[in-house]
Amino acid sequence: TSFHNAKVAVLGASGGIGQPLSLLLKNSPLVSELSLYDIAHTPGVAADLSHIETRATVTGYMGADQLGAALKGCEVVVIPAGVPRKPGMTRDDLFNTNATIVATLADACARHCPQAMICIISNPVNSTIPITSEVMKKHGVYNPNRVFGVTTLDIVRANTFVAELKGLDPARVNVPVVGGHAGKTIIPLISRCTPKVEFPADQLSALTGRIQEAGTEVVKAKAGAGSATLSMAYAGARFTFSLLDAMNGKEGVVECAFVRSEETECKYFSTPLLLGTRFCLFKNGIEKNLGLGKLSVFEEKLVAEAMDELKGSIKNGEDFVANMK
């Protein structure tokens, strides 16, 4: 296949993230086939999107019996399925519901598109990535270079908030964000921002806290009507487009994502990744983990403080699959 003709699946396509994400993917020249799956409403979402004057063909699949068909031949699978946070909930409160959903969908990917790039949006990402990985291992098809926890929204938020404070164009700001995708495991590396920016200690601390709790900011503002869906759809699309660009042979594509990692004492950790197709036979996914790099003293402390929570969330995911019927 020429990967300018990518088949992309969205699992959870009828939901708050799934619909705007599917719209953004339909709008892209990188996508030739869009496969939309959910447990309800997908035929309507697919019919609606299919009228848009871009070349991607759109097919809707509904219900467990159509899941295999939705995944057949897919090169990239993006999974925003699951329940959103309500006020007062942490991402971990979603665990019981979303763990089962992600395990079921990962199982289907292992059976029907084992070579695909799998991009997980469903929270808690710190646990759903270990769940996806363990399910793929059970089927003997696990490739750590092809399973990504989408943390892009943390980067998008960091870029936006830094740009606001410094009067910069957010499209020109790039803040790497490492660690995980919940609360204090979200570690923005402001010291490595391009262009270079500096903040006094109190402002840096407040900015870091705002980036870490930005999801909760939206949950509160929506007052029970959901969590971040539109900005998450944008971030999910941004990551998917970067992956497709890299699969098409574009050089130097770097995104942060939560992946299997040897960079710290955590089995999974988000760092900047060079995406690519060096091993053309297998459209590799991660070409090189660019690692943590040089950290400020403040950032080193944030990494140290995140470790216990991150390890606990990872273990929760692994234990869930080990105890699955």
Side-chain angles (χ1 to χ4, degrees), residues 85 90-93 123-127 150-151 154 157 177-187 211-216 258 270 305-306 309-310 313:
R85 285 200 288 162
T90 67
R91 288 181 180 87
D92 271 343
D93 293 333
N123 272 316
V125 165
N126 293 355
S127 302
V150 179
T151 61
D154 300 325
R157 285 166 167 158
V177 181
V178 301
H181 183 59
K184 68 178 182 194
T185 70
I186 297 168
I187 303 160
I211 294 163
Q212 291 174 331
E213 293 305 324
T216 306
F258 188 66
S270 180
E305 286 170 355
E309 182 181 327
L310 205 42
S313 299

Short mmCIF file of all heavy atoms in Angstrom, two decimals, residues 85 90-93 123-127 150-151 154 157 177-187 211-216 258 270 305-306 309-310 313:
data_model
loop_
_atom_site.label_atom_id
_atom_site.label_comp_id
_atom_site.label_asym_id
_atom_site.label_seq_id
_atom_site.Cartn_x
_atom_site.Cartn_y
_atom_site.Cartn_z
N ARG A 85 -14.79 11.57 32.55
CA ARG A 85 -14.82 11.97 33.96
C ARG A 85 -15.97 12.92 34.25
O ARG A 85 -16.35 13.73 33.41
CB ARG A 85 -13.51 12.70 34.32
CG ARG A 85 -12.34 11.77 34.47
CD ARG A 85 -11.25 12.44 35.27
NE ARG A 85 -10.56 13.51 34.56
CZ ARG A 85 -9.83 14.44 35.15
NH1 ARG A 85 -9.71 14.46 36.47
NH2 ARG A 85 -9.22 15.37 34.44
N THR A 90 -11.31 11.26 39.61
CA THR A 90 -9.96 11.23 39.04
C THR A 90 -10.00 10.31 37.82
O THR A 90 -10.97 9.58 37.62
CB THR A 90 -8.94 10.65 40.05
OG1 THR A 90 -9.27 9.26 40.25
CG2 THR A 90 -9.00 11.39 41.38
N ARG A 91 -8.92 10.33 37.03
CA ARG A 91 -8.87 9.43 35.88
C ARG A 91 -8.90 7.97 36.36
O ARG A 91 -9.41 7.10 35.67
CB ARG A 91 -7.62 9.71 35.03
CG ARG A 91 -7.71 11.02 34.26
CD ARG A 91 -6.46 11.25 33.42
NE ARG A 91 -6.50 12.52 32.67
CZ ARG A 91 -6.10 13.68 33.14
NH1 ARG A 91 -5.66 13.78 34.39
NH2 ARG A 91 -6.13 14.76 32.38
N ASP A 92 -8.35 7.72 37.55
CA ASP A 92 -8.35 6.35 38.08
C ASP A 92 -9.75 5.84 38.40
O ASP A 92 -10.00 4.64 38.38
CB ASP A 92 -7.47 6.26 39.34
CG ASP A 92 -6.02 5.95 38.98
OD1 ASP A 92 -5.77 5.50 37.83
OD2 ASP A 92 -5.13 6.19 39.81
N ASP A 93 -10.68 6.77 38.70
CA ASP A 93 -12.05 6.35 38.98
C ASP A 93 -12.72 5.73 37.75
O ASP A 93 -13.73 5.04 37.86
CB ASP A 93 -12.89 7.55 39.46
CG ASP A 93 -12.45 8.06 40.83
OD1 ASP A 93 -11.89 7.25 41.61
OD2 ASP A 93 -12.64 9.25 41.12
N ASN A 123 -8.91 6.87 29.04
CA ASN A 123 -8.28 7.02 30.35
C ASN A 123 -8.65 5.88 31.30
O ASN A 123 -9.67 5.23 31.10
CB ASN A 123 -8.70 8.36 30.96
CG ASN A 123 -7.75 9.47 30.54
OD1 ASN A 123 -6.53 9.30 30.55
ND2 ASN A 123 -8.31 10.62 30.16
N PRO A 124 -7.85 5.59 32.34
CA PRO A 124 -6.55 6.22 32.64
C PRO A 124 -5.43 5.63 31.75
O PRO A 124 -5.14 4.44 31.82
CB PRO A 124 -6.31 5.84 34.11
CG PRO A 124 -7.10 4.57 34.31
CD PRO A 124 -8.27 4.62 33.36
N VAL A 125 -4.85 6.49 30.89
CA VAL A 125 -3.82 6.05 29.94
C VAL A 125 -2.66 5.34 30.65
O VAL A 125 -2.09 4.38 30.12
CB VAL A 125 -3.32 7.26 29.10
CG1 VAL A 125 -2.02 6.93 28.36
CG2 VAL A 125 -4.40 7.67 28.10
N ASN A 126 -2.33 5.80 31.87
CA ASN A 126 -1.23 5.18 32.63
C ASN A 126 -1.49 3.70 32.89
O ASN A 126 -0.55 2.95 33.15
CB ASN A 126 -1.01 5.90 33.96
CG ASN A 126 -0.48 7.32 33.77
OD1 ASN A 126 -0.18 7.75 32.65
ND2 ASN A 126 -0.36 8.06 34.86
N SER A 127 -2.76 3.27 32.83
CA SER A 127 -3.11 1.86 33.00
C SER A 127 -3.59 1.21 31.71
O SER A 127 -3.39 0.01 31.51
CB SER A 127 -4.22 1.71 34.05
OG SER A 127 -3.83 2.24 35.30
N VAL A 150 -1.77 8.25 23.96
CA VAL A 150 -1.79 9.60 23.38
C VAL A 150 -1.81 10.63 24.52
O VAL A 150 -2.83 10.83 25.16
CB VAL A 150 -3.00 9.78 22.45
CG1 VAL A 150 -3.01 11.20 21.87
CG2 VAL A 150 -2.98 8.74 21.33
N THR A 151 -0.67 11.25 24.74
CA THR A 151 -0.53 12.29 25.76
C THR A 151 -0.48 13.68 25.12
O THR A 151 -0.21 14.68 25.80
CB THR A 151 0.76 12.09 26.58
OG1 THR A 151 1.88 12.19 25.68
CG2 THR A 151 0.79 10.73 27.26
N ASP A 154 -1.50 17.06 26.62
CA ASP A 154 -0.65 17.73 27.62
C ASP A 154 0.33 18.69 26.95
O ASP A 154 0.58 19.79 27.45
CB ASP A 154 0.11 16.69 28.45
CG ASP A 154 -0.83 15.75 29.20
OD1 ASP A 154 -1.90 16.21 29.64
OD2 ASP A 154 -0.50 14.56 29.33
N ARG A 157 -1.68 21.72 25.57
CA ARG A 157 -2.01 22.64 26.66
C ARG A 157 -0.79 23.43 27.11
O ARG A 157 -0.87 24.65 27.32
CB ARG A 157 -2.59 21.85 27.83
CG ARG A 157 -4.01 21.39 27.60
CD ARG A 157 -4.43 20.34 28.62
NE ARG A 157 -5.88 20.13 28.58
CZ ARG A 157 -6.47 19.03 29.03
NH1 ARG A 157 -5.75 18.04 29.55
NH2 ARG A 157 -7.78 18.90 28.97
N VAL A 177 6.50 17.23 27.04
CA VAL A 177 5.88 16.82 28.31
C VAL A 177 6.14 15.33 28.47
O VAL A 177 5.84 14.54 27.57
CB VAL A 177 4.37 17.13 28.34
CG1 VAL A 177 3.77 16.71 29.68
CG2 VAL A 177 4.11 18.61 28.08
N VAL A 178 6.72 14.96 29.61
CA VAL A 178 7.14 13.57 29.82
C VAL A 178 6.39 12.98 31.01
O VAL A 178 5.62 13.65 31.68
CB VAL A 178 8.67 13.49 30.03
CG1 VAL A 178 9.42 14.06 28.83
CG2 VAL A 178 9.10 14.20 31.32
N GLY A 179 6.64 11.68 31.25
CA GLY A 179 6.06 11.01 32.41
C GLY A 179 4.84 10.21 32.04
O GLY A 179 4.93 9.24 31.28
N GLY A 180 3.68 10.62 32.59
CA GLY A 180 2.44 9.91 32.32
C GLY A 180 1.36 10.87 31.88
O GLY A 180 1.65 11.95 31.37
N HIS A 181 0.10 10.46 32.11
CA HIS A 181 -1.01 11.28 31.63
C HIS A 181 -2.08 11.43 32.71
O HIS A 181 -3.25 11.15 32.49
CB HIS A 181 -1.59 10.67 30.35
CG HIS A 181 -2.70 11.48 29.73
ND1 HIS A 181 -2.52 12.78 29.32
CD2 HIS A 181 -4.00 11.19 29.48
CE1 HIS A 181 -3.68 13.24 28.83
NE2 HIS A 181 -4.59 12.29 28.94
N ALA A 182 -1.64 11.80 33.91
CA ALA A 182 -2.59 12.06 35.00
C ALA A 182 -1.90 12.85 36.09
O ALA A 182 -0.81 12.47 36.54
CB ALA A 182 -3.12 10.74 35.59
N GLY A 183 -2.51 13.97 36.49
CA GLY A 183 -2.04 14.73 37.65
C GLY A 183 -0.54 14.94 37.68
O GLY A 183 0.06 15.42 36.72
N LYS A 184 0.06 14.55 38.80
CA LYS A 184 1.48 14.87 38.98
C LYS A 184 2.42 13.99 38.13
O LYS A 184 3.63 14.23 38.10
CB LYS A 184 1.87 14.79 40.46
CG LYS A 184 1.85 13.41 41.07
CD LYS A 184 2.31 13.46 42.53
CE LYS A 184 2.34 12.07 43.13
NZ LYS A 184 2.44 12.09 44.58
N THR A 185 1.86 13.00 37.42
CA THR A 185 2.72 12.24 36.49
C THR A 185 2.94 13.01 35.19
O THR A 185 3.76 12.62 34.36
CB THR A 185 2.14 10.83 36.17
OG1 THR A 185 0.96 10.96 35.36
CG2 THR A 185 1.82 10.06 37.44
N ILE A 186 2.18 14.09 35.00
CA ILE A 186 2.34 14.95 33.81
C ILE A 186 3.47 15.95 34.12
O ILE A 186 3.34 16.77 35.01
CB ILE A 186 1.03 15.70 33.50
CG1 ILE A 186 -0.09 14.72 33.15
CG2 ILE A 186 1.25 16.71 32.36
CD1 ILE A 186 -1.49 15.35 33.11
N ILE A 187 4.57 15.83 33.39
CA ILE A 187 5.77 16.63 33.71
C ILE A 187 6.19 17.48 32.51
O ILE A 187 6.87 17.01 31.59
CB ILE A 187 6.93 15.70 34.16
CG1 ILE A 187 6.49 14.85 35.35
CG2 ILE A 187 8.17 16.52 34.49
CD1 ILE A 187 7.33 13.61 35.56
N ILE A 211 -0.97 23.01 34.01
CA ILE A 211 -0.85 22.00 32.94
C ILE A 211 -1.28 20.64 33.48
O ILE A 211 -2.03 19.90 32.83
CB ILE A 211 0.59 21.97 32.38
CG1 ILE A 211 0.92 23.28 31.66
CG2 ILE A 211 0.77 20.77 31.43
CD1 ILE A 211 2.41 23.53 31.42
N GLN A 212 -0.85 20.32 34.70
CA GLN A 212 -1.17 19.01 35.29
C GLN A 212 -2.67 18.86 35.57
O GLN A 212 -3.21 17.77 35.47
CB GLN A 212 -0.39 18.82 36.60
CG GLN A 212 1.11 18.64 36.37
CD GLN A 212 1.90 18.59 37.67
OE1 GLN A 212 1.51 19.19 38.68
NE2 GLN A 212 3.01 17.87 37.66
N GLU A 213 -3.32 19.95 35.92
CA GLU A 213 -4.74 19.88 36.30
C GLU A 213 -5.67 20.49 35.25
O GLU A 213 -6.85 20.75 35.53
CB GLU A 213 -4.95 20.58 37.66
CG GLU A 213 -4.27 19.85 38.82
CD GLU A 213 -4.71 18.38 38.94
OE1 GLU A 213 -5.90 18.08 38.68
OE2 GLU A 213 -3.86 17.53 39.28
N ALA A 214 -5.16 20.67 34.03
CA ALA A 214 -5.97 21.33 32.99
C ALA A 214 -7.21 20.51 32.63
O ALA A 214 -8.26 21.07 32.32
CB ALA A 214 -5.12 21.57 31.75
N GLY A 215 -7.08 19.21 32.69
CA GLY A 215 -8.24 18.35 32.40
C GLY A 215 -9.35 18.58 33.40
O GLY A 215 -10.53 18.66 33.05
N THR A 216 -8.97 18.72 34.66
CA THR A 216 -9.94 18.97 35.74
C THR A 216 -10.59 20.34 35.56
O THR A 216 -11.78 20.51 35.85
CB THR A 216 -9.23 18.84 37.10
OG1 THR A 216 -8.58 17.57 37.14
CG2 THR A 216 -10.21 18.94 38.25
N PHE A 258 3.13 7.96 25.59
CA PHE A 258 3.34 7.04 26.71
C PHE A 258 3.51 5.64 26.15
O PHE A 258 2.57 5.06 25.60
CB PHE A 258 2.12 7.12 27.64
CG PHE A 258 2.28 6.37 28.94
CD1 PHE A 258 3.22 6.75 29.89
CD2 PHE A 258 1.47 5.27 29.22
CE1 PHE A 258 3.36 6.07 31.09
CE2 PHE A 258 1.59 4.58 30.43
CZ PHE A 258 2.53 4.99 31.36
N SER A 270 6.43 8.38 29.14
CA SER A 270 6.33 9.23 27.95
C SER A 270 7.58 10.09 27.81
O SER A 270 8.00 10.73 28.77
CB SER A 270 5.09 10.13 28.06
OG SER A 270 5.01 10.94 26.92
N GLU A 305 9.07 12.52 42.00
CA GLU A 305 7.79 12.50 42.73
C GLU A 305 6.69 11.75 41.98
O GLU A 305 5.70 11.34 42.58
CB GLU A 305 7.32 13.93 43.02
CG GLU A 305 8.13 14.60 44.13
CD GLU A 305 7.84 16.09 44.27
OE1 GLU A 305 7.08 16.64 43.44
OE2 GLU A 305 8.40 16.71 45.20
N ALA A 306 6.84 11.58 40.67
CA ALA A 306 5.81 10.91 39.87
C ALA A 306 5.94 9.39 39.89
O ALA A 306 4.98 8.68 39.59
CB ALA A 306 5.88 11.41 38.43
N GLU A 309 3.36 6.84 41.88
CA GLU A 309 2.01 6.82 41.30
C GLU A 309 2.00 6.12 39.94
O GLU A 309 1.12 5.31 39.65
CB GLU A 309 1.46 8.25 41.15
CG GLU A 309 0.04 8.26 40.60
CD GLU A 309 -0.55 9.65 40.41
OE1 GLU A 309 -0.24 10.56 41.20
OE2 GLU A 309 -1.34 9.81 39.46
N LEU A 310 3.01 6.42 39.13
CA LEU A 310 3.09 5.83 37.79
C LEU A 310 3.26 4.32 37.87
O LEU A 310 2.54 3.57 37.19
CB LEU A 310 4.27 6.48 37.04
CG LEU A 310 4.24 6.50 35.52
CD1 LEU A 310 2.87 6.84 34.96
CD2 LEU A 310 5.27 7.48 34.99
N SER A 313 -0.08 2.70 38.84
CA SER A 313 -1.05 2.67 37.73
C SER A 313 -0.69 1.61 36.70
O SER A 313 -1.56 0.92 36.17
CB SER A 313 -1.13 4.04 37.05
OG SER A 313 -1.54 5.02 37.96
#
